[in-house]
Amino acid sequence: MIKIKLIVPKLLSNNQSMKGNTHVFDLEYEQPVTVVRVLKDNKINMLFLGYMLIDGKKNVNKLYLIEQSCELKLFIVMCGG
C-alpha cells in the first residue's frame, strides 16, 4: 500500500470555497502511480502548476513514478510583467 499526502495550494484545488491557503489529500494506491495520475484523479488544475516536491527535497516532473509512501507538495507559478 502506497500512502501519499498531497498538499495543494488553493489556486490549484478543485474546491475554491475551502478555508485556508492549502488543501491536504490523504491518498492510498495499491500499485506504483505516476504524479500525473495522482493529479488527474484528484482533479487538480494544472494550468498554474509550477513545480512539485517529494518529501520536501526532490523536485519531480509529472511523469515521475511514485513507488513508496511520500508527501507530494505542489507549488504555483508566480509570474508578472
Side-chain angles (χ1 to χ4, degrees):
M1 182 70 64
I2 300 172
K3 294 183 180 186
I4 301 171
K5 183 176 182 180
L6 179 62
I7 303 170
V8 182
K10 184 176 182 177
L11 183 62
L12 300 176
S13 177
N14 59 350
N15 182 5
Q16 292 298 311
S17 63
M18 69 181 186
K19 295 181 180 179
N21 293 330
T22 58
H23 187 78
V24 178
F25 296 93
D26 290 314
L27 313 169
E28 292 184 357
Y29 288 92
E30 292 291 328
Q31 300 177 5
V33 62
T34 61
V35 171
V36 72
R37 177 158 174 228
V38 171
L39 299 178
K40 286 182 180 180
D41 288 351
N42 293 283
K43 299 176 183 156
I44 303 300
N45 181 0
M46 291 186 261
L47 183 63
F48 299 109
L49 180 60
Y51 64 97
M52 300 158 280
L53 287 180
I54 287 203
D55 294 329
K57 57 187 170 191
K58 185 175 182 182
N59 189 8
V60 296
N61 66 15
K62 294 177 190 170
L63 301 177
Y64 182 79
L65 184 65
I66 300 172
E67 299 176 305
Q68 59 188 11
S69 297
C70 65
E71 177 182 284
L72 178 62
K73 188 169 184 179
L74 307 180
F75 294 88
I76 58 174
V77 172
M78 298 300 255
C79 56

